[in-house]
Amino acid sequence: MMTPTGGPRTTERYHPRVEARLQVKVLLSGRTVQAQARDISMNGLFLQAHPADSQRALTIALPLPGDHELVTMCTIRRREVDGVALEFGELDWDDLIALARFLHPHLP
């Protein structure tokens, strides 16, 4: 959908993003590839990597402070020149709490 100014319509985000230069492990067919997250929210992250065009989902392992590693399947929601926007799959309570503790000090 286009806006009256002719630009693409942007949707308002429910969860604010924070800048996060985190190393993310992407789990691919029995091997692990390192990539960097540009930003993160409670709903997902932007990964500075280019998975194959045929891939619709990725499994990631995201190390968080306190020796917690969030491992989840993510859906690729958007592809851009510098990477892909990922939406987290289901997270358990421990993952949600660890993620909220990481994000809280960085929120405006």
Side-chain angles (χ1 to χ4, degrees):
M1 178 179 219
M2 300 297 272
T3 61
T5 60
R9 185 178 92 184
T10 57
T11 56
E12 189 173 325
R13 298 187 185 284
Y14 185 73
H15 296 285
R17 289 193 236 177
V18 299
E19 186 176 323
R21 303 286 178 196
L22 297 171
Q23 288 298 312
V24 178
K25 295 181 226 169
V26 182
L27 311 172
L28 300 169
S29 310
R31 64 188 176 104
T32 302
V33 177
Q34 293 283 335
Q36 189 171 22
R38 178 181 73 193
D39 55 49
I40 187 170
S41 75
M42 288 297 292
N43 195 45
L45 58 83
F46 189 89
L47 189 66
Q48 293 178 304
H50 296 284
D53 288 339
S54 61
Q55 277 194 285
R56 304 279 181 245
L58 298 171
T59 300
I60 65 162
L62 176 65
L64 295 172
D67 292 329
H68 187 88
E69 186 171 64
L70 185 154
V71 179
T72 188
M73 175 72 78
C74 296
T75 304
I76 297 173
R77 290 294 177 200
R78 188 177 69 256
R79 293 175 186 268
E80 294 182 4
V81 174
D82 57 341
V84 290
L86 302 178
E87 181 180 355
F88 295 140
E90 288 190 31
L91 301 176
D92 65 25
W93 283 110
D94 289 337
D95 290 338
L96 286 170
I97 290 167
L99 187 55
R101 283 186 177 145
F102 171 76
L103 292 172
H104 181 262
H106 303 286
L107 293 171

